[in-house]
Amino acid sequence: MRVFDFDGTIYDGESLFDLYLYSARHDPKVFRYIAPVLRYAVKYKLGRATLEQMEYGVGKMTEGYLAELSRSKRVASVEQLVDDFWDRNYSRIKPWYQPESDDVILTASFGLTVGEACRRLGVRNLVASEVDVETMKVTYLNFSTNKVKRFRELYGPDAVIDEFYTDSKFDQPMIDMARHAFMVKGNTITQVK
């Protein structure tokens, strides 16, 4: 089985941030959620915030953002916004990625967003952060060690990862699990294990 991080790995950019910017075109009120989420993400990447703080902060900001979008008179629905976003941004899937039937996309982004890209790619296996679409509440953030935990819950303790692709050393626990691992920078892929 091949496992891929999504943002920065097979997608050129950060899809959740790009969706924030795209949605702000439709309703500028959502801009107030971008800075706090970025602040939490930067603090976490610099080691100045714990996973728990990141989960709480990003979770609360994302819930506010999604609630704002779902109430907006300028947005038909969050699902339609996501569909329109991928109509414009699907071309940012990197050309080197050629999906196979058993590929797994393992991402910190939300299934609500990345799920549509996976559908278009023909990838059925997605492990992502989760949102209850009825309440717009974040139910799970798939960051850091949570990725390994969720992967093992879904695929079992004996699942073998033949190849793992990422753009970040933060995925070291997944790199450790894989037989072979690759670091992706732009369209350059370097084997690191």
Side-chain angles (χ1 to χ4, degrees), residues 50-61:
T50 65
L51 179 59
E52 293 77 20
Q53 290 169 324
M54 178 74 166
E55 287 176 327
Y56 176 79
V58 170
K60 288 298 175 196
M61 289 296 111

Side-chain angles (χ1 to χ4, degrees), residues 148 151-152 159-161 172-179 193:
V148 172
F151 180 84
R152 288 294 184 210
V160 176
I161 300 171
Q172 188 64 46
M174 293 301 300
I175 292 170
D176 293 342
M177 287 174 48
R179 287 183 177 161
K193 178 180 177 188

Side-chain angles (χ1 to χ4, degrees), residues 23-150:
S23 63
R25 293 179 190 170
H26 298 282
D27 192 339
K29 290 181 189 175
V30 301
F31 266 126
R32 66 180 170 192
Y33 296 100
I34 294 173
V37 169
L38 286 176
R39 185 172 54 248
Y40 277 107
V42 168
K43 286 173 77 172
Y44 179 73
K45 290 228 178 205
L46 293 174
R48 295 187 181 140
T50 65
L51 179 59
E52 293 77 20
Q53 290 169 324
M54 178 74 166
E55 287 176 327
Y56 176 79
V58 170
K60 288 298 175 196
M61 289 296 111
T62 301
E63 287 172 14
Y65 163 75
L66 290 171
E68 187 82 46
L69 279 180
S70 63
R71 289 189 305 265
S72 175
K73 291 179 174 47
R74 298 178 183 184
V75 176
S77 70
V78 173
E79 292 82 1
Q80 185 61 53
L81 180 78
V82 168
D83 193 50
D84 294 346
F85 169 79
W86 284 112
D87 286 348
R88 289 185 72 124
N89 289 283
Y90 186 77
S91 63
R92 293 178 66 182
I93 300 294
K94 296 179 182 181
W96 64 263
Y97 177 65
Q98 298 298 310
E100 293 182 8
S101 62
D102 67 343
D103 283 355
V104 176
I105 302 296
L106 181 73
T107 180
S109 286
F110 291 94
L112 180 68
T113 306
V114 177
E116 177 59 20
C118 288
R119 186 190 69 72
R120 293 177 187 210
L121 286 165
V123 174
R124 296 182 313 264
N125 304 306
L126 172 63
V127 182
S129 295
E130 298 169 6
V131 172
D132 179 330
V133 292
E134 297 294 319
T135 64
M136 291 300 170
K137 299 271 187 214
V138 174
T139 58
Y140 186 78
L141 285 176
N142 199 43
F143 287 111
S144 187
T145 55
N146 282 356
K147 284 185 175 183
V148 172
K149 178 182 168 193
R150 182 61 68 143

